[in-house]
Amino acid sequence: MRLRLTPRDDSYFEMFADSANNLVIAARLLVELISEGADRDAIAEKMRACEHAGDDRTHAIMRRLNESFVTPFDREDIYRLASSLDDVMDSMDAAVDLVGLYGLDRLPKGIIDQIEVLERAAELTAEAMPRLRTMKDLTRYWIEINQLENQADQIYRRLLAKLFSGEYDALTVLKLKDVIEELETAADAFEHVANTVESIAVKES
């Protein structure tokens, strides 16, 4: 661990934890979205509230970054981590928004698998963020996130194959493809979060 001669601003750890916990809430809203009899308008409203809360947290981190003289780790890594967490939120919000805008009453069953991956990734990320303070017990986190992202890729490809199987009309294919691509982008963004955490841990070791 590098020797620090001046006090560092540790408020970032709490802000990153808050951002990650907000992603857990968002992922569980996705689970609600695919539940029987879901009130999709209400879920979309809750997701928008999550997205706004995520934006507020990201902006708070950026403001603190501009004000801090000493940061707990590299400034560029703080920026990357905050941005990647925000990217996850944006993609999950977009997926829910598109379901409503397109009036998609029927979603492919494989979307359940996508959402389960995102829920698990959100939980792992929320568990990992507090450990940034000590940089301990993080290796398993980024390994598991990488495995989940590989799983998400496989699910995505299977969903694409189903969309182009002839079961759906052309317009519905386009609409559903937009939704599953946003969910796939969210999985990619979770991996970017984990990659940034790994980079930070390596630099701080």
Side-chain angles (χ1 to χ4, degrees):
M1 183 68 70
R2 293 179 300 185
L3 179 65
R4 300 183 187 279
L5 301 179
T6 53
R8 68 181 185 180
D9 184 350
D10 285 349
S11 62
Y12 293 100
F13 301 119
E14 183 176 347
M15 289 191 285
F16 284 132
D18 286 344
S19 292
N21 288 332
N22 192 50
L23 295 181
V24 174
I25 295 171
R28 289 174 182 167
L29 287 172
L30 286 175
V31 174
E32 285 185 40
L33 184 75
I34 57 175
S35 301
E36 188 75 24
D39 184 343
R40 290 182 173 173
D41 289 338
I43 292 168
E45 186 174 343
K46 290 178 184 177
M47 185 65 88
R48 280 193 294 272
C50 271
E51 197 274 334
H52 292 323
D55 281 345
D56 288 344
R57 288 172 171 85
T58 302
H59 294 153
I61 292 170
M62 297 310 180
R63 285 196 301 271
R64 183 58 58 90
L65 191 57
N66 288 332
E67 296 166 358
S68 298
F69 179 67
V70 179
T71 56
F73 37 84
D74 285 353
R75 304 176 78 86
E76 65 181 37
D77 288 328
I78 292 174
Y79 178 85
R80 283 176 57 205
L81 186 53
S83 297
S84 295
L85 289 165
D86 190 55
D87 288 344
V88 177
M89 184 70 251
D90 286 345
S91 292
M92 290 197 286
D93 175 55
V96 172
D97 198 30
L98 287 170
V99 169
L101 289 173
Y102 288 159
L104 293 169
D105 296 324
R106 179 180 167 225
L107 297 172
K109 288 184 179 179
I111 281 184
I112 296 173
D113 298 327
Q114 272 192 306
I115 290 172
E116 286 178 348
V117 166
L118 294 178
E119 185 181 25
R120 180 59 182 151
E123 291 167 351
L124 286 170
T125 302
E127 291 168 6
M129 288 301 107
R131 297 202 292 271
L132 285 172
R133 189 180 295 272
T134 61
M135 296 294 169
K136 293 180 180 178
D137 303 319
L138 283 167
T139 304
R140 191 63 203 163
Y141 155 66
W142 61 69
I143 290 173
E144 287 191 35
I145 290 291
N146 181 262
Q147 292 170 343
L148 284 172
E149 199 279 330
N150 290 337
Q151 185 179 339
D153 285 345
Q154 293 171 2
I155 294 166
Y156 172 68
R157 290 192 291 268
R158 288 199 299 270
L159 277 167
L160 283 183
K162 183 174 179 61
L163 288 186
F164 293 110
S165 67
E167 180 178 343
Y168 302 92
D169 64 79
L171 185 57
T172 301
V173 167
L174 292 175
K175 292 176 179 179
L176 289 172
K177 188 170 181 289
D178 282 350
V179 174
I180 68 170
E181 283 183 345
E182 287 294 349
L183 296 175
E184 170 67 5
T185 300
D188 289 342
F190 269 122
E191 187 177 41
H192 295 160
V193 171
N195 289 343
T196 301
V197 170
E198 182 179 9
S199 175
I200 292 167
V202 169
K203 291 177 184 177
E204 292 296 307
S205 63

